[in-house]
Structure formats: structure tokens, C-alpha cells
Amino acid sequence: LDQDEAVLARLFVLGGECSYLFSTVSGARFHTEPQSRLGHDTEWHPDAVRKILDAAEECMKNCIHRLRLSMTVIRKPRAVGMVRAATNESCGEIRCGSSIRRENLDEVTISVKCALDELDLGVAFCAFNGGSDVWVDIGNKSLGVRAVQSVVGCGPHETLHFGDQFLSTGNDVAARRACCTAWVADPTETVGALIELREALQSAKQQQK
């Protein structure tokens, strides 16, 4: 990135809804920030996190069996997902295959969300249809946006979240509780909106002079 150091110092990347925060250091390299910078709202007891992920994994496997889906479950430290998969018989590897009908993905998403809501463990989570898969992440984008706002020192009225999954089975809807949002279809629309926003801000500055 060919940018001023002051600009790079304000570039952060948030991953896993609100699980991982990366800052930009000299040479445009990313540095993993300590969990404490994300705030206490994203710190939950490991046993509670495990129970959430265990329940989500079990529900996904039940859905795969009940709906007869050709999918497999992937477990991560703070997430569990269900993806279309096929076995490469020559080497026994699992690889992603073609997509599943949206209705099936929505059914799994809703089933998992209902199952996790019943646990009432006090752990924020996000169950969402990713378009070709289903994921459950620990945390959500509302907490993630608030964490970034705290790090950079801005408020909801100074924040704009771009997303493409604002339905009840999406993972962007939670961000609406933390800031203004813009629904886009792809990265090209995001770039276009940012250009328009920059021009509008520059015009406002000129009018204030």
C-alpha cells in the first residue's frame, strides 16, 4: 500500500465478526492486536463458547442428515461452518463443490439459530447463510463495529458499514444497531459509494470555507 504512515495507522481489519483485530504497521504489514483491544463485550468464558459451537455443530449435522444434504462441517476455534463438499477419492481430501439451494441454507441457519437461542448462555453469536454455506461465528458485527469505533475514536454518526447480507439469515443486520449501513451487491458498488462519499465530504468542506 502506497500510503502515508498516518493513514496506515488508521487502517484496521476486523475478522470473525468481532474475534480478531489487525492493525497496520510499517511496511503495510498487519499486526494482530490483543483481544483486550476489542473490549470486554467480546470476552466470554471458554466453556460457554465451546457449548455454543458444540450445539451448532450437532444441529448442522442433524440438518445434513434430515435434509439429505451433501455437505460437511468445519470446526474452528471461534466458529463452525457447513459447506458443500466432495471427496477426492485419489487422495481422500475434502474440497468445496457446487452450491446448495438457498432455501436449504436458510432452513439450516434458522434451525441453528433457534437451537442456540434456547441455550441462553450469554454469548453473542451470529448464525448466517453465506450464500453457498452456513456459519456460526462467536460474536456479531454490532460488537465488531463498536469495537472498531472505540479503537479509532469515532461515534455511530461517523460510521458507515457496507454489507450484502442484511436479511434475518444474514450476518450484516446486527451492524444496524451500531451505525449507519449501506446495502451493496458486490465490492464494485462499495468502491462507487466510497467515491461518492469522498466527493460529498470534500464538497461540504469547501462550502464551510
Side-chain angles (χ1 to χ4, degrees):
L1 295 175
D2 184 20
Q3 289 290 342
D4 184 279
E5 290 289 336
V7 174
L8 291 176
R10 293 179 62 81
L11 175 61
F12 294 88
V13 177
L14 189 70
E17 309 298 331
C18 63
S19 295
Y20 312 100
L21 180 67
F22 303 94
S23 59
T24 313
V25 296
S26 180
R29 293 177 291 107
F30 287 124
H31 169 73
T32 303
E33 293 291 322
Q35 188 73 25
S36 58
R37 291 209 70 184
L38 289 168
H40 296 297
D41 289 340
T42 63
E43 297 178 357
W44 299 283
H45 196 281
D47 286 344
V49 170
R50 177 182 53 78
K51 289 179 181 178
I52 287 286
L53 297 180
D54 285 348
E57 182 176 356
E58 181 182 2
C59 186
M60 287 179 180
K61 289 179 177 178
N62 289 339
C63 286
I64 289 174
H65 177 73
R66 176 167 57 88
L67 300 175
R68 299 180 180 179
L69 302 175
S70 178
M71 304 190 79
T72 189
V73 174
I74 298 174
R75 181 72 175 256
K76 297 183 178 182
R78 290 174 67 91
V80 58
M82 191 181 81
V83 301
R84 172 81 177 188
T87 302
N88 185 333
E89 296 182 356
S90 63
C91 60
E93 292 182 350
I94 297 296
R95 56 183 173 81
C96 291
S98 57
S99 61
I100 299 291
R101 290 177 62 90
R102 181 180 183 88
E103 292 83 357
N104 285 329
L105 296 174
D106 280 342
E107 171 63 25
V108 175
T109 302
I110 294 170
S111 295
V112 172
K113 186 178 185 304
C114 289
L116 298 185
D117 282 341
E118 291 181 357
L119 294 179
D120 193 23
L121 293 174
V123 176
F125 67 89
C126 179
F128 65 96
N129 173 356
S132 61
D133 49 26
V134 174
W135 284 92
V136 171
D137 287 334
I138 297 300
N140 59 48
K141 289 190 177 180
S142 176
L143 295 175
V145 170
R146 290 191 176 103
V148 174
Q149 288 170 341
S150 176
V151 169
V152 302
C154 67
H157 65 292
E158 301 170 297
T159 309
L160 179 59
H161 170 84
F162 290 93
D164 61 355
Q165 294 280 359
F166 282 102
L167 298 178
S168 61
T169 54
N171 66 337
D172 288 303
V173 63
R176 295 175 69 97
R177 300 196 295 268
C179 65
C180 297
T181 59
W183 196 333
V184 295
D186 53 49
T188 301
E189 286 193 2
T190 302
V191 173
L194 287 173
I195 291 174
E196 291 184 14
L197 178 61
R198 181 184 63 182
E199 293 174 349
L201 292 173
Q202 290 175 340
S203 176
K205 286 183 179 180
Q206 289 294 331
Q207 294 176 8
Q208 291 175 358
K209 291 182 178 179

